């Protein structure tokens, strides 16, 4: 027992209770350094700001936007000859005002006709050899009847003598519109399918048509004239059949009304 009593007591201690040895050259009361919160926050804000600037889309040039939409939707490539005749004159320049509403649209259309806008857009009488019945100078193309009416509100002040004609199917029969188109028409607004139908039956003429307003303003669901199913296809059918040849010949200009948002490519259907 004497041997046990004289044994080294340190060897009987619980090894878990051993003090951790201090690493060399470390001060006894060294404190952990807190991270610089402000520095990290500033770095994060700088990074986020850089990402925001990098991801912000650049403004689209109107002609490039329209050409891309046409070629993508129809799976075609415009020839170099057509491109040369289109690019300098087919798109009406953007409005001076950044605000786009029915009033700014009217002002923009007036500017397109210069000093002769009153004679072209306001007069109501038919002039033999100069103005054919049922042939508007301005044609507004929208996705719906409601939107067509909304855009015509700004034109009320200049359509007192010659009323604008509504060209859509909602609550309006083709026969009624045919009768309206037997008079002088300066401004018309409607949807692609009804417009094409009236051209097909030769009720709506294009001899005076100088400006087409394409309403590309998206609706509450984000769809526009270039992306709304069925309406999109009806519009391009109308455009290829009757409008594109006149644009190539330089007889017609396009006014894009609304933000220029590229349409997402359609997914190919699985076979």
């Amino acid at each position: 027992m004497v041997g046990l009593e004289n044994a080294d007591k340190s060897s009987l201690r619980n090894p878990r209770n051993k003090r951790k040895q201090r690493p060399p050259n470390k001060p006894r009361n060294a404190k952990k350094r807190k991270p610089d919160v402000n520095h990290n926050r500033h770095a994060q804000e700088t990074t986020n700001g850089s990402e925001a600037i990098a991801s912000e889309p650049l403004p689209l040039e109107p002609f490039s936007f329209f050409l891309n939409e046409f070629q993508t939707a129809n799976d075609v490539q415009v020839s170099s000859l057509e491109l040369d005749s289109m690019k300098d004159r087919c798109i009406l320049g953007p409005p001076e005002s950044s605000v786009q509403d029915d009033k700014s649209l009217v002002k923009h259309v007036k500017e397109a006709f210069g000093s002769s806008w009153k004679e072209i857009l306001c007069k109501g009488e038919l002039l033999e050899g100069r103005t054919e019945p049922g042939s508007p100078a301005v044609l507004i193309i929208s996705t719906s009847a409601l939107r067509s009416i909304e855009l015509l509100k700004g034109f009320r002040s200049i359509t007192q003598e010659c009323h604008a004609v509504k060209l859509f199917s909602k609550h309006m029969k083709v026969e009624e519109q045919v009768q309206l188109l037997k008079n002088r028409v300066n401004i018309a607004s409607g949807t692609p399918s009804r417009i094409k139908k009236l051209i097909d039956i030769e009720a709506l003429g294009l001899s005076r048509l100088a400006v087409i307003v394409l309403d590309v303003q998206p609706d509450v669901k984000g769809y526009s004239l270039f992306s709304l199913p069925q309406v999109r296809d009806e519009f391009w059918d109308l455009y290829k059949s009757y409008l594109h040849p006149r644009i190539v010949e330089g007889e017609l200009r396009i006014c894009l009304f609304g933000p220029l948002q590229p349409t997402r490519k359609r997914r190919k259907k699985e076979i």
Side-chain angles (χ1 to χ4, degrees):
M1 297 297 292
V2 175
L4 183 60
E5 289 177 358
N6 294 332
D8 187 1
K9 292 181 181 181
S10 63
S11 63
L12 300 177
R13 291 176 184 170
N14 190 340
R16 293 182 180 178
N17 294 333
K18 277 189 175 182
R19 285 187 177 182
K20 295 181 179 179
Q21 292 185 353
R22 211 171 39 247
N25 302 327
K26 184 176 180 180
R28 182 181 296 274
N29 297 324
K31 294 182 180 180
K32 293 183 179 180
R33 185 177 178 182
K34 294 182 179 180
D36 190 344
V37 178
N38 293 329
H39 174 75
N40 293 340
R41 183 183 302 167
H42 176 71
Q44 185 177 4
E45 288 176 355
T46 304
T47 304
N48 293 340
S50 301
E51 290 174 356
I53 293 172
S55 61
E56 184 178 349
L58 296 173
L60 291 172
E61 194 272 324
F63 176 71
S64 298
F65 167 77
F66 179 77
L67 183 65
N68 181 64
E69 291 294 320
F70 172 60
Q71 294 184 144
T72 303
N74 298 281
D75 195 22
V76 296
Q77 188 73 30
V78 175
S79 68
S80 57
L81 290 175
E82 289 182 330
L83 197 60
D84 289 339
S85 62
M86 290 174 62
K87 64 182 180 181
D88 294 329
R89 53 188 175 181
C90 84
I91 299 290
L92 201 60
E96 295 179 359
S97 174
S98 59
V99 179
Q100 291 197 339
D101 54 18
D102 55 350
K103 293 181 181 179
S104 66
L105 176 60
V106 175
K107 183 180 178 182
H108 196 36
V109 169
K110 286 180 181 178
E111 291 171 353
F113 291 95
S115 59
S116 60
W117 70 266
K118 285 187 178 181
E119 181 182 350
I120 297 172
L121 302 177
C122 300
K123 299 295 183 181
E125 68 275 8
L126 284 169
L127 301 176
E128 188 175 353
R130 292 178 59 187
T131 55
E132 294 183 10
S135 182
V138 177
L139 180 61
I140 304 170
I141 306 176
S142 301
T143 56
S144 66
L146 188 62
R147 183 65 179 161
S148 298
I149 295 172
E150 185 178 341
L151 290 179
L152 282 178
K153 289 179 181 178
F155 290 90
R156 286 176 180 172
S157 60
I158 64 174
T159 54
Q160 299 297 321
E161 188 176 344
C162 182
H163 297 295
V165 177
K166 304 177 184 69
L167 306 177
F168 44 76
S169 58
K170 190 173 184 179
H171 305 309
M172 296 195 75
K173 296 180 179 180
V174 173
E175 293 76 17
E176 296 175 29
Q177 292 164 334
V178 170
Q179 291 300 316
L180 292 172
L181 291 170
K182 288 182 178 180
N183 303 309
R184 173 167 173 165
V185 178
N186 296 328
I187 301 169
S189 179
T191 54
S193 59
R194 181 53 62 91
I195 290 173
K196 185 176 184 299
K197 186 170 186 177
L198 290 166
I199 298 175
D200 288 341
I201 63 175
E202 299 182 355
L204 177 63
L206 302 177
S207 61
R208 292 182 63 224
L209 189 60
V211 173
I212 54 170
V213 178
L214 303 183
D215 177 28
V216 294
Q217 182 72 35
D219 59 18
V220 292
K221 294 183 179 180
Y223 288 111
S224 73
L225 184 66
F226 293 156
S227 61
L228 185 62
Q230 187 176 346
V231 173
R232 167 194 59 208
D233 297 334
E234 291 168 350
F235 166 72
W236 289 119
D237 186 25
L238 165 66
Y239 177 82
K240 289 185 295 182
S241 301
Y242 295 108
L243 305 178
H244 184 70
R246 293 176 60 82
I247 287 174
V248 173
E249 292 169 6
E251 299 176 358
L252 184 60
R253 288 189 292 171
I254 298 170
C255 173
L256 296 169
F257 183 72
L260 307 185
Q261 299 177 349
T263 304
R264 294 179 181 177
K265 291 183 179 181
R266 289 180 257 179
R267 294 180 180 178
K268 293 183 179 179
K269 295 182 180 180
E270 296 182 1
I271 301 174

